[in-house]
Coordinates of all heavy atoms in Angstrom, one line a residue:
M21 N -12.8 182.7 7.4 CA -13.0 181.9 6.3 C -14.2 181.0 6.5 O -15.0 180.8 5.6 CB -11.8 181.1 6.0 CG -11.9 180.2 4.8 SD -10.3 179.6 4.3 CE -10.8 178.4 3.2
Y22 N -14.4 180.4 7.6 CA -15.5 179.5 7.9 C -16.8 180.2 7.9 O -17.8 179.6 7.5 CB -15.3 178.7 9.2 CG -14.2 177.7 9.1 CD1 -13.0 177.9 9.8 CD2 -14.2 176.6 8.3 CE1 -11.9 177.0 9.7 CE2 -13.2 175.7 8.2 CZ -12.0 175.9 8.9 OH -11.0 175.1 8.8
R23 N -16.9 181.4 8.3 CA -18.1 182.1 8.4 C -18.7 182.4 7.0 O -19.9 182.6 6.9 CB -18.0 183.4 9.2 CG -17.2 184.4 8.6 CD -16.9 185.6 9.5 NE -15.6 186.1 9.2 CZ -15.2 187.3 9.3 NH1 -16.0 188.1 9.9 NH2 -14.0 187.6 8.9
T24 N -17.9 182.3 6.0 CA -18.5 182.5 4.6 C -19.0 181.2 4.1 O -19.6 181.1 3.0 CB -17.4 183.1 3.7 OG1 -16.3 182.2 3.6 CG2 -17.0 184.5 4.1
R25 N -18.8 180.1 4.8 CA -19.2 178.8 4.3 C -20.5 178.3 5.0 O -21.1 177.3 4.6 CB -18.1 177.7 4.6 CG -16.9 177.9 3.8 CD -15.9 176.8 4.1 NE -14.7 177.0 3.3 CZ -13.7 176.3 3.4 NH1 -13.7 175.3 4.3 NH2 -12.6 176.5 2.7
V26 N -20.9 179.0 6.0 CA -22.1 178.7 6.7 C -23.1 179.9 6.6 O -22.7 181.0 6.9 CB -21.9 178.4 8.2 CG1 -23.1 178.1 9.0 CG2 -20.9 177.2 8.3
L27 N -24.3 179.7 6.3 CA -25.3 180.7 6.2 C -26.5 180.3 7.1 O -27.0 179.2 7.1 CB -25.8 180.9 4.8 CG -26.7 182.1 4.5 CD1 -26.2 182.7 3.2 CD2 -28.1 181.7 4.5
Y28 N -26.8 181.3 8.0 CA -27.9 181.1 8.9 C -29.1 181.9 8.4 O -29.0 183.1 8.2 CB -27.5 181.5 10.4 CG -28.7 181.6 11.3 CD1 -29.4 180.4 11.7 CD2 -29.1 182.8 11.8 CE1 -30.4 180.5 12.6 CE2 -30.2 182.8 12.7 CZ -30.8 181.7 13.1 OH -31.9 181.7 13.9
L29 N -30.3 181.3 8.3 CA -31.5 182.0 7.8 C -32.5 181.9 8.9 O -33.1 180.8 9.1 CB -32.0 181.4 6.5 CG -33.1 182.1 5.8 CD1 -32.7 183.5 5.5 CD2 -33.5 181.3 4.6
P30 N -32.7 182.9 9.7 CA -33.7 182.9 10.8 C -35.1 182.9 10.2 O -35.4 183.2 9.0 CB -33.5 184.2 11.6 CG -32.8 185.1 10.6 CD -32.1 184.2 9.7
Q31 N -36.1 182.4 11.0 CA -37.5 182.3 10.5 C -38.0 183.7 10.1 O -38.7 183.8 9.1 CB -38.4 181.7 11.6 CG -39.8 181.5 11.1 CD -40.6 180.7 12.1 OE1 -40.2 180.6 13.3 NE2 -41.7 180.2 11.7
R32 N -37.7 184.7 10.8 CA -38.0 186.1 10.5 C -36.8 186.9 10.3 O -36.3 187.6 11.3 CB -38.9 186.7 11.6 CG -40.2 186.0 11.7 CD -41.2 186.7 12.6 NE -42.5 186.1 12.6 CZ -43.1 185.6 13.7 NH1 -42.5 185.7 14.9 NH2 -44.2 185.0 13.6
P33 N -36.2 186.9 9.1 CA -34.9 187.6 8.9 C -35.1 189.1 9.0 O -36.1 189.6 8.6 CB -34.5 187.1 7.5 CG -35.7 186.6 6.9 CD -36.7 186.2 8.0
S34 N -34.1 189.7 9.5 CA -34.0 191.2 9.5 C -33.3 191.6 8.2 O -32.2 191.2 8.0 CB -33.2 191.7 10.7 OG -33.8 191.3 11.9
L35 N -34.1 192.3 7.4 CA -33.6 192.6 6.1 C -33.4 194.1 5.9 O -34.0 194.9 6.6 CB -34.5 192.0 5.0 CG -34.8 190.5 5.2 CD1 -36.0 190.1 4.4 CD2 -33.6 189.7 4.8
L36 N -32.6 194.4 4.9 CA -32.4 195.9 4.6 C -33.8 196.5 4.1 O -34.6 195.8 3.5 CB -31.4 196.0 3.4 CG -30.0 195.5 3.7 CD1 -29.2 195.6 2.4 CD2 -29.4 196.4 4.7
P37 N -34.0 197.7 4.4 CA -35.2 198.4 3.8 C -35.2 198.3 2.3 O -34.1 198.2 1.7 CB -35.1 199.8 4.3 CG -33.8 200.0 5.0 CD -33.1 198.6 5.1
G38 N -36.3 198.4 1.7 CA -36.4 198.4 0.3 C -37.0 197.1 -0.2 O -37.8 196.4 0.5
T39 N -36.6 196.7 -1.4 CA -37.1 195.5 -2.1 C -36.2 194.4 -2.0 O -35.0 194.5 -1.8 CB -37.4 195.8 -3.6 OG1 -36.1 196.0 -4.2 CG2 -38.3 197.0 -3.8
P40 N -36.7 193.1 -2.2 CA -35.8 192.0 -2.2 C -34.7 192.1 -3.3 O -33.6 191.7 -3.2 CB -36.7 190.8 -2.5 CG -38.0 191.2 -1.9 CD -38.1 192.7 -2.2
R41 N -35.1 192.7 -4.5 CA -34.1 192.9 -5.6 C -33.0 193.8 -5.1 O -31.8 193.5 -5.4 CB -34.8 193.4 -6.8 CG -33.9 193.3 -8.1 CD -34.6 193.8 -9.3 NE -35.9 193.2 -9.6 CZ -36.1 192.1 -10.3 NH1 -35.1 191.5 -10.8 NH2 -37.3 191.7 -10.5
Y42 N -33.3 194.9 -4.4 CA -32.3 195.8 -3.9 C -31.4 195.0 -2.8 O -30.2 195.1 -2.8 CB -32.9 197.0 -3.2 CG -31.9 197.9 -2.6 CD1 -31.0 198.7 -3.3 CD2 -31.8 198.0 -1.2 CE1 -30.1 199.5 -2.7 CE2 -30.9 198.7 -0.6 CZ -30.0 199.5 -1.3 OH -29.1 200.3 -0.7
F43 N -32.0 194.3 -2.0 CA -31.3 193.5 -1.0 C -30.3 192.5 -1.7 O -29.2 192.5 -1.3 CB -32.3 192.6 -0.2 CG -31.7 191.7 0.8 CD1 -31.2 192.1 2.0 CD2 -31.7 190.3 0.5 CE1 -30.7 191.2 2.9 CE2 -31.2 189.4 1.4 CZ -30.6 189.8 2.6
L44 N -30.8 191.9 -2.7 CA -29.9 190.9 -3.5 C -28.7 191.7 -4.1 O -27.6 191.2 -4.0 CB -30.7 190.2 -4.5 CG -30.0 189.2 -5.4 CD1 -29.4 188.1 -4.6 CD2 -31.0 188.6 -6.4
T45 N -29.0 192.9 -4.6 CA -27.9 193.7 -5.2 C -26.9 194.1 -4.2 O -25.7 193.9 -4.4 CB -28.5 194.9 -5.9 OG1 -29.4 194.6 -6.9 CG2 -27.4 195.8 -6.5
V46 N -27.3 194.5 -3.0 CA -26.4 194.9 -2.0 C -25.6 193.8 -1.5 O -24.3 193.8 -1.4 CB -27.2 195.6 -0.8 CG1 -26.2 195.8 0.4 CG2 -27.7 196.9 -1.3
I47 N -26.2 192.6 -1.1 CA -25.4 191.5 -0.6 C -24.5 190.9 -1.6 O -23.5 190.3 -1.2 CB -26.3 190.5 0.2 CG1 -27.2 189.8 -0.8 CG2 -27.0 191.1 1.3 CD1 -27.9 188.6 -0.2
S48 N -24.9 191.0 -2.9 CA -24.0 190.5 -3.9 C -22.7 191.3 -4.0 O -21.7 190.8 -4.6 CB -24.7 190.5 -5.3 OG -25.7 189.5 -5.2
S49 N -22.7 192.5 -3.5 CA -21.5 193.4 -3.6 C -20.6 193.2 -2.4 O -19.5 193.8 -2.4 CB -21.9 194.8 -3.7 OG -22.4 195.3 -2.5
F50 N -21.0 192.4 -1.4 CA -20.1 192.2 -0.2 C -18.7 191.6 -0.6 O -18.7 190.8 -1.5 CB -20.8 191.3 0.8 CG -21.9 192.0 1.5 CD1 -22.8 191.2 2.3 CD2 -22.2 193.3 1.4 CE1 -23.8 191.7 3.0 CE2 -23.3 193.9 2.1 CZ -24.1 193.1 2.9
G51 N -17.7 192.1 0.0 CA -16.4 191.6 -0.2 C -16.2 190.1 -0.1 O -15.4 189.5 -0.9
S52 N -16.9 189.5 0.8 CA -16.8 188.1 1.0 C -17.4 187.3 -0.2 O -17.1 186.1 -0.4 CB -17.4 187.6 2.3 OG -18.8 187.9 2.2
R53 N -18.2 188.0 -1.0 CA -18.8 187.3 -2.2 C -17.9 187.4 -3.4 O -18.1 186.7 -4.4 CB -20.1 188.0 -2.5 CG -21.1 187.9 -1.4 CD -22.1 186.7 -1.6 NE -22.6 186.6 -2.9 CZ -22.5 185.5 -3.6 NH1 -22.0 184.4 -3.1 NH2 -23.0 185.4 -4.9
K54 N -16.9 188.3 -3.4 CA -16.1 188.5 -4.6 C -14.6 188.4 -4.3 O -14.2 188.7 -3.2 CB -16.3 189.9 -5.2 CG -17.8 190.2 -5.6 CD -18.2 189.4 -6.8 CE -19.6 189.6 -7.1 NZ -20.2 188.7 -8.1
T55 N -13.9 187.9 -5.3 CA -12.4 187.9 -5.1 C -11.8 188.4 -6.4 O -12.4 188.2 -7.5 CB -11.9 186.5 -4.8 OG1 -12.3 185.7 -5.8 CG2 -12.3 186.1 -3.4
P56 N -10.7 189.1 -6.4 CA -9.9 189.5 -5.3 C -10.3 190.9 -4.8 O -10.1 191.2 -3.7 CB -8.5 189.5 -5.8 CG -8.6 189.8 -7.3 CD -9.9 189.2 -7.7
A57 N -10.9 191.7 -5.7 CA -11.2 193.1 -5.3 C -12.7 193.2 -5.2 O -13.5 192.6 -5.9 CB -10.7 194.1 -6.3
R58 N -13.2 194.0 -4.2 CA -14.6 194.3 -4.0 C -15.1 195.2 -5.2 O -14.7 196.3 -5.4 CB -14.8 194.9 -2.7 CG -16.2 195.1 -2.3 CD -16.3 195.7 -0.9 NE -17.6 195.9 -0.6 CZ -18.1 196.2 0.6 NH1 -17.2 196.2 1.6 NH2 -19.3 196.4 0.9
P59 N -16.2 194.7 -5.9 CA -16.7 195.5 -7.0 C -17.6 196.6 -6.5 O -18.1 196.6 -5.4 CB -17.5 194.5 -7.8 CG -18.0 193.5 -6.8 CD -16.9 193.4 -5.7
K60 N -17.8 197.6 -7.4 CA -18.8 198.6 -7.2 C -20.2 198.0 -7.5 O -20.3 197.0 -8.2 CB -18.6 199.8 -8.1 CG -17.3 200.5 -7.8 CD -17.0 201.6 -8.7 CE -15.7 202.2 -8.5 NZ -15.3 203.2 -9.5
L61 N -21.3 198.5 -7.0 CA -22.6 198.0 -7.3 C -22.9 197.9 -8.8 O -23.5 197.0 -9.2 CB -23.7 198.9 -6.6 CG -23.9 198.7 -5.1 CD1 -24.9 199.7 -4.6 CD2 -24.3 197.3 -4.7
S62 N -22.3 198.9 -9.5 CA -22.6 198.9 -11.0 C -21.8 197.8 -11.7 O -22.1 197.5 -12.9 CB -22.1 200.2 -11.6 OG -20.8 200.4 -11.3
E63 N -20.8 197.1 -11.0 CA -20.1 196.1 -11.7 C -20.5 194.7 -11.4 O -19.9 193.7 -11.8 CB -18.6 196.2 -11.2 CG -17.9 197.5 -11.6 CD -16.6 197.7 -11.0 OE1 -16.2 196.9 -10.1 OE2 -15.9 198.6 -11.5
I64 N -21.6 194.5 -10.6 CA -22.1 193.2 -10.2 C -22.7 192.5 -11.4 O -23.4 193.1 -12.2 CB -23.2 193.3 -9.1 CG1 -22.6 193.9 -7.9 CG2 -23.8 192.0 -8.8 CD1 -23.6 194.3 -6.8
S65 N -22.3 191.3 -11.6 CA -22.8 190.5 -12.7 C -24.3 190.3 -12.6 O -24.8 190.0 -11.6 CB -22.1 189.1 -12.7 OG -22.7 188.2 -13.6
I66 N -24.9 190.4 -13.8 CA -26.4 190.1 -13.8 C -26.7 188.7 -13.5 O -27.7 188.4 -12.9 CB -26.9 190.5 -15.3 CG1 -26.8 191.9 -15.6 CG2 -28.4 190.0 -15.4 CD1 -27.5 192.9 -14.6
L67 N -25.7 187.8 -13.8 CA -25.9 186.4 -13.5 C -26.0 186.2 -12.0 O -26.7 185.3 -11.5 CB -24.8 185.5 -14.0 CG -24.7 185.5 -15.6 CD1 -23.5 184.7 -16.0 CD2 -26.0 184.9 -16.1
D68 N -25.3 187.0 -11.2 CA -25.3 186.9 -9.7 C -26.7 187.2 -9.2 O -27.2 186.6 -8.2 CB -24.4 187.9 -9.0 CG -22.9 187.4 -9.1 OD1 -22.7 186.3 -9.4 OD2 -22.0 188.3 -8.9
L69 N -27.4 188.1 -9.9 CA -28.8 188.5 -9.5 C -29.9 187.6 -10.0 O -30.9 187.4 -9.4 CB -29.0 189.9 -9.9 CG -28.0 190.9 -9.4 CD1 -28.3 192.3 -10.0 CD2 -27.9 191.0 -7.9
D70 N -29.6 187.0 -11.2 CA -30.6 186.1 -11.8 C -30.9 184.8 -11.2 O -32.0 184.3 -11.1 CB -30.3 185.9 -13.3 CG -30.6 187.1 -14.2 OD1 -31.2 188.1 -13.7 OD2 -30.1 187.2 -15.3
R71 N -29.8 184.2 -10.6 CA -29.9 182.8 -10.1 C -30.9 182.7 -9.0 O -31.8 181.8 -9.0 CB -28.6 182.3 -9.7 CG -28.6 180.8 -9.2 CD -27.4 180.1 -9.5 NE -27.2 178.8 -8.9 CZ -28.1 177.9 -8.6 NH1 -29.3 178.1 -8.8 NH2 -27.8 176.8 -8.0
P72 N -30.9 183.6 -7.9 CA -31.9 183.5 -6.9 C -33.3 183.7 -7.4 O -34.2 183.0 -6.9 CB -31.5 184.6 -5.9 CG -30.0 184.8 -6.1 CD -29.8 184.5 -7.6
I73 N -33.5 184.6 -8.4 CA -34.8 184.8 -8.9 C -35.3 183.6 -9.7 O -36.5 183.2 -9.6 CB -34.8 186.1 -9.8 CG1 -34.5 187.3 -8.9 CG2 -36.1 186.2 -10.6 CD1 -34.2 188.6 -9.7
E74 N -34.4 182.9 -10.4 CA -34.8 181.7 -11.1 C -35.1 180.6 -10.1 O -36.0 179.8 -10.4 CB -33.6 181.3 -12.0 CG -33.4 182.2 -13.2 CD -34.7 182.4 -14.1 OE1 -35.4 181.4 -14.3 OE2 -35.0 183.5 -14.5
V75 N -34.4 180.5 -9.0 CA -34.7 179.5 -8.0 C -36.1 179.7 -7.4 O -36.9 178.8 -7.3 CB -33.6 179.5 -6.8 CG1 -34.1 178.7 -5.6 CG2 -32.3 179.0 -7.3
A76 N -36.4 181.0 -7.2 CA -37.7 181.4 -6.6 C -38.8 181.0 -7.6 O -39.9 180.5 -7.3 CB -37.7 182.9 -6.3
K77 N -38.6 181.3 -8.9 CA -39.6 181.0 -9.9 C -39.8 179.5 -10.0 O -41.0 179.0 -10.1 CB -39.1 181.4 -11.3 CG -39.3 182.8 -11.6 CD -38.8 183.1 -13.1 CE -38.7 184.5 -13.4 NZ -38.2 184.7 -14.8
A78 N -38.8 178.7 -9.8 CA -38.9 177.2 -9.8 C -39.8 176.7 -8.6 O -40.4 175.7 -8.7 CB -37.6 176.5 -9.8
W79 N -39.8 177.5 -7.6 CA -40.6 177.2 -6.4 C -42.0 177.8 -6.5 O -42.7 177.7 -5.5 CB -39.9 177.7 -5.1 CG -38.6 177.0 -4.8 CD1 -38.1 175.9 -5.3 CD2 -37.6 177.5 -3.9 NE1 -36.9 175.6 -4.7 CE2 -36.6 176.6 -3.9 CE3 -37.5 178.6 -3.1 CZ2 -35.4 176.7 -3.1 CZ3 -36.4 178.8 -2.3 CH2 -35.3 177.8 -2.3
G80 N -42.3 178.5 -7.5 CA -43.6 179.1 -7.7 C -43.8 180.5 -7.1 O -44.9 180.9 -6.9
V81 N -42.6 181.1 -6.8 CA -42.7 182.5 -6.3 C -42.7 183.5 -7.5 O -41.9 183.4 -8.4 CB -41.4 182.8 -5.4 CG1 -41.4 184.2 -5.0 CG2 -41.4 181.8 -4.3
D82 N -43.7 184.3 -7.5 CA -43.9 185.3 -8.6 C -42.8 186.3 -8.6 O -42.4 186.8 -7.6 CB -45.3 186.0 -8.4 CG -45.7 186.8 -9.6 OD1 -44.9 187.0 -10.5 OD2 -46.9 187.2 -9.6
E83 N -42.3 186.6 -9.8 CA -41.2 187.5 -9.9 C -41.5 188.9 -9.4 O -40.6 189.7 -9.0 CB -40.6 187.5 -11.3 CG -39.3 188.3 -11.4 CD -38.6 188.2 -12.7 OE1 -39.0 187.4 -13.6 OE2 -37.6 189.0 -12.9
E84 N -42.8 189.3 -9.5 CA -43.2 190.6 -9.1 C -42.9 190.9 -7.6 O -42.7 192.0 -7.1 CB -44.6 191.0 -9.4 CG -45.7 190.3 -8.7 CD -46.1 191.0 -7.4 OE1 -45.9 192.1 -7.2 OE2 -46.7 190.3 -6.6
L85 N -42.8 189.8 -6.8 CA -42.4 190.0 -5.4 C -41.1 190.6 -5.1 O -40.8 191.3 -4.1 CB -42.5 188.6 -4.6 CG -43.9 188.0 -4.6 CD1 -43.8 186.6 -3.8 CD2 -44.9 188.8 -3.9
W86 N -40.2 190.4 -6.1 CA -38.8 191.0 -6.0 C -38.8 192.5 -6.0 O -37.8 193.1 -5.6 CB -37.9 190.4 -7.0 CG -37.7 188.9 -6.8 CD1 -38.4 187.9 -7.2 CD2 -36.6 188.4 -6.1 NE1 -37.9 186.7 -6.8 CE2 -36.8 187.0 -6.1 CE3 -35.5 188.9 -5.3 CZ2 -35.9 186.1 -5.4 CZ3 -34.6 188.0 -4.7 CH2 -34.8 186.6 -4.8
D87 N -39.9 193.1 -6.5 CA -39.9 194.5 -6.7 C -40.9 195.2 -5.7 O -41.1 196.4 -5.7 CB -40.3 194.9 -8.1 CG -39.2 194.4 -9.1 OD1 -38.1 194.7 -8.8 OD2 -39.6 193.7 -10.1
R88 N -41.4 194.4 -4.7 CA -42.3 195.0 -3.7 C -41.4 195.2 -2.4 O -40.4 194.5 -2.2 CB -43.3 193.9 -3.2 CG -44.6 194.0 -4.0 CD -45.7 193.4 -3.2 NE -46.4 192.4 -3.9 CZ -47.1 191.4 -3.3 NH1 -47.2 191.4 -2.0 NH2 -47.7 190.5 -4.0
D89 N -41.8 196.2 -1.6 CA -41.1 196.4 -0.4 C -41.2 195.2 0.5 O -42.3 194.6 0.5 CB -41.6 197.7 0.4 CG -40.9 198.9 0.0 OD1 -40.0 198.9 -0.9 OD2 -41.2 200.0 0.6
W90 N -40.2 194.9 1.3 CA -40.3 193.8 2.2 C -41.5 193.9 3.1 O -42.2 193.0 3.4 CB -39.1 193.7 3.1 CG -37.8 193.2 2.4 CD1 -36.8 193.9 2.0 CD2 -37.5 191.8 2.1 NE1 -35.8 193.1 1.4 CE2 -36.3 191.8 1.4 CE3 -38.2 190.6 2.2 CZ2 -35.7 190.7 1.0 CZ3 -37.6 189.5 1.7 CH2 -36.4 189.5 1.1
S91 N -41.8 195.2 3.5 CA -42.9 195.4 4.4 C -44.3 195.1 3.8 O -45.3 194.9 4.5 CB -42.9 196.9 4.9 OG -43.1 197.8 3.8
N92 N -44.3 195.0 2.5 CA -45.6 194.6 1.7 C -45.7 193.1 1.4 O -46.6 192.7 0.7 CB -45.7 195.5 0.5 CG -45.9 196.9 0.8 OD1 -46.5 197.3 1.8 ND2 -45.4 197.8 -0.1
L93 N -44.7 192.3 1.9 CA -44.8 190.9 1.7 C -45.3 190.2 2.9 O -45.1 190.7 4.0 CB -43.4 190.4 1.4 CG -42.6 190.9 0.1 CD1 -41.2 190.2 0.0 CD2 -43.4 190.6 -1.1
S94 N -46.0 189.1 2.7 CA -46.5 188.4 3.9 C -45.2 187.7 4.5 O -44.2 187.6 3.8 CB -47.5 187.3 3.4 OG -46.9 186.3 2.7
G95 N -45.4 187.1 5.7 CA -44.3 186.4 6.3 C -43.8 185.3 5.4 O -42.6 185.1 5.3
G96 N -44.7 184.5 4.9 CA -44.4 183.4 4.0 C -43.7 183.8 2.7 O -42.7 183.2 2.3
E97 N -44.1 184.9 2.1 CA -43.5 185.4 0.9 C -42.1 185.8 1.2 O -41.1 185.5 0.5 CB -44.3 186.6 0.3 CG -45.6 186.2 -0.3 CD -46.5 187.4 -0.6 OE1 -46.3 188.4 0.0 OE2 -47.4 187.2 -1.4
A98 N -41.9 186.6 2.3 CA -40.6 187.0 2.7 C -39.6 185.8 2.9 O -38.5 185.9 2.6 CB -40.6 187.9 3.9
Q99 N -40.1 184.8 3.6 CA -39.3 183.6 3.9 C -38.9 182.9 2.6 O -37.7 182.5 2.5 CB -40.1 182.6 4.8 CG -40.2 183.1 6.2 CD -41.0 182.1 7.0 OE1 -42.0 181.5 6.5 NE2 -40.7 182.0 8.3
R100 N -39.8 182.8 1.7 CA -39.5 182.1 0.4 C -38.5 182.9 -0.4 O -37.6 182.3 -1.0 CB -40.8 181.8 -0.4 CG -41.6 180.7 0.2 CD -42.7 180.3 -0.7 NE -43.7 181.3 -0.9 CZ -44.7 181.6 -0.1 NH1 -44.9 180.9 1.0 NH2 -45.6 182.5 -0.4
V101 N -38.6 184.2 -0.4 CA -37.7 185.0 -1.2 C -36.3 185.0 -0.5 O -35.3 184.8 -1.2 CB -38.2 186.5 -1.3 CG1 -37.1 187.4 -1.8 CG2 -39.4 186.5 -2.2
A102 N -36.3 185.1 0.8 CA -35.0 185.0 1.5 C -34.3 183.7 1.3 O -33.1 183.6 1.2 CB -35.2 185.3 3.0
M103 N -35.1 182.6 1.3 CA -34.6 181.2 1.1 C -34.0 181.1 -0.3 O -33.0 180.5 -0.6 CB -35.6 180.2 1.3 CG -35.2 178.8 1.0 SD -34.1 178.1 2.3 CE -35.4 177.6 3.4
A104 N -34.7 181.7 -1.3 CA -34.2 181.7 -2.7 C -32.9 182.4 -2.8 O -32.0 182.0 -3.6 CB -35.3 182.3 -3.6
V105 N -32.8 183.5 -2.1 CA -31.5 184.3 -2.1 C -30.4 183.4 -1.5 O -29.3 183.2 -2.1 CB -31.6 185.6 -1.3 CG1 -30.2 186.2 -1.1 CG2 -32.5 186.6 -2.0
A106 N -30.7 182.7 -0.4 CA -29.7 181.9 0.3 C -29.3 180.7 -0.6 O -28.1 180.4 -0.8 CB -30.2 181.3 1.6
V107 N -30.2 180.1 -1.3 CA -29.9 178.9 -2.1 C -29.3 179.4 -3.5 O -28.3 178.8 -4.0 CB -31.2 178.1 -2.4 CG1 -30.9 177.0 -3.4 CG2 -31.6 177.4 -1.1
G108 N -29.9 180.5 -4.0 CA -29.5 180.9 -5.3 C -28.1 181.5 -5.4 O -27.4 181.4 -6.4
L109 N -27.6 182.1 -4.3 CA -26.3 182.6 -4.3 C -25.2 181.5 -4.3 O -24.1 181.8 -4.6 CB -26.1 183.6 -3.2 CG -26.8 184.9 -3.3 CD1 -26.6 185.8 -2.1 CD2 -26.4 185.7 -4.6
N110 N -25.6 180.3 -3.9 CA -24.7 179.2 -3.9 C -23.4 179.5 -3.2 O -22.3 179.1 -3.7 CB -24.5 178.7 -5.3 CG -24.0 177.3 -5.3 OD1 -24.3 176.5 -4.4 ND2 -23.3 176.9 -6.4
A111 N -23.4 180.2 -2.1 CA -22.2 180.7 -1.4 C -21.9 179.9 -0.2 O -20.7 179.9 0.2 CB -22.4 182.1 -1.0
A112 N -22.8 179.2 0.3 CA -22.6 178.4 1.6 C -22.6 176.9 1.4 O -23.3 176.4 0.5 CB -23.6 178.8 2.6
E113 N -21.7 176.3 2.1 CA -21.7 174.8 2.1 C -22.7 174.3 3.1 O -23.2 173.2 2.9 CB -20.3 174.3 2.5 CG -19.2 174.6 1.5 CD -17.9 174.2 1.9 OE1 -17.7 173.3 2.7 OE2 -16.9 174.9 1.4
V114 N -23.1 175.1 4.1 CA -24.0 174.7 5.1 C -25.1 175.8 5.2 O -24.7 176.9 5.4 CB -23.3 174.4 6.5 CG1 -24.4 174.1 7.6 CG2 -22.3 173.4 6.4
L115 N -26.3 175.4 5.2 CA -27.4 176.3 5.4 C -28.2 175.9 6.6 O -28.8 174.8 6.7 CB -28.3 176.3 4.1 CG -29.5 177.2 4.0 CD1 -29.0 178.7 4.1 CD2 -30.3 177.0 2.8
L116 N -28.2 176.8 7.6 CA -28.9 176.6 8.9 C -30.2 177.3 8.8 O -30.2 178.5 8.6 CB -28.1 177.1 10.1 CG -26.7 176.4 10.2 CD1 -25.9 177.1 11.4 CD2 -26.8 175.0 10.5
L117 N -31.3 176.6 9.1 CA -32.6 177.2 9.0 C -33.3 177.2 10.4 O -33.3 176.2 11.1 CB -33.5 176.5 8.0 CG -33.0 176.3 6.6 CD1 -33.9 175.5 5.8 CD2 -32.8 177.7 6.0
D118 N -33.8 178.3 10.8 CA -34.6 178.4 12.1 C -36.0 178.0 11.8 O -36.7 178.6 11.0 CB -34.4 179.8 12.6 CG -35.2 180.0 13.9 OD1 -35.7 179.1 14.5 OD2 -35.2 181.2 14.4
S119 N -36.5 177.0 12.6 CA -37.9 176.6 12.3 C -38.7 176.7 13.6 O -39.5 175.9 13.9 CB -37.9 175.2 11.8 OG -37.3 174.3 12.8
R120 N -38.5 177.8 14.3 CA -39.3 178.0 15.5 C -40.8 178.0 15.2 O -41.3 178.5 14.2 CB -39.0 179.4 16.1 CG -37.8 179.4 17.0 CD -37.7 180.8 17.5 NE -36.4 181.3 17.0 CZ -35.9 182.5 17.1 NH1 -36.7 183.4 17.6 NH2 -34.8 182.8 16.6
S121 N -41.6 177.6 16.2 CA -43.0 177.6 16.0 C -43.6 178.6 16.9 O -43.2 178.9 17.9 CB -43.6 176.2 16.4 OG -43.0 175.2 15.7

C-alpha cells in the first residue's frame, strides 16, 4: 500500500520503448492505478491520459514530444515529460527526485 503513495523519479529514468504517450497509456493501465478491477488498455479513461499532457503544456513542453520516441528526445525533454507524467497522474503523496550532478 505504501509503495503506491511514493513515486521515485530518477534523473535518467529507464522507460519503456516507444513514445511518451505509449508509456503513459501502459502505466495508466497498471492494477495499482485502478480499483477494483484492472482495466484493459482500451478501457483507460482519456482523462487519465490528458492530465499529464496538460501539465506539460503548462510548463512549456510542446505536445508533439509525446509522439516522438524516447530515444529522439534530449535528456532535458525526457526529464520534463517524465516529471509531467509523475505530477499529472496525481497518484503519489510523495515525489522523490534524483538530482545527481
Side-chain angles (χ1 to χ4, degrees):
M21 179 163 167
Y22 292 110
R23 66 188 149 152
T24 61
R25 294 182 181 177
V26 176
L27 191 137
Y28 170 67
L29 186 62
Q31 186 173 15
R32 291 190 178 124
S34 298
L35 304 165
L36 296 173
T39 67
R41 194 177 306 271
Y42 175 73
F43 174 77
L44 181 57
T45 302
V46 170
I47 65 171
S48 292
S49 72
F50 288 167
S52 62
R53 298 265 315 128
K54 302 290 180 191
T55 57
R58 185 174 176 167
K60 297 177 184 172
L61 283 177
S62 61
E63 297 171 348
I64 296 170
S65 167
I66 296 302
L67 294 176
D68 285 346
L69 304 178
D70 284 346
R71 183 150 167 33
I73 294 170
E74 291 303 316
V75 168
K77 277 185 192 177
W79 293 345
V81 176
D82 192 348
E83 188 171 353
E84 70 90 16
L85 296 181
W86 291 87
D87 297 310
R88 273 205 233 159
D89 269 4
W90 286 106
S91 61
N92 293 329
L93 298 179
S94 72
E97 289 169 337
Q99 286 176 330
R100 287 189 296 278
V101 169
M103 176 76 83
V105 170
V107 171
L109 289 179
N110 199 26
E113 293 176 27
V114 177
L115 184 59
L116 301 174
L117 305 175
D118 179 2
S119 63
R120 278 181 241 172
S121 304

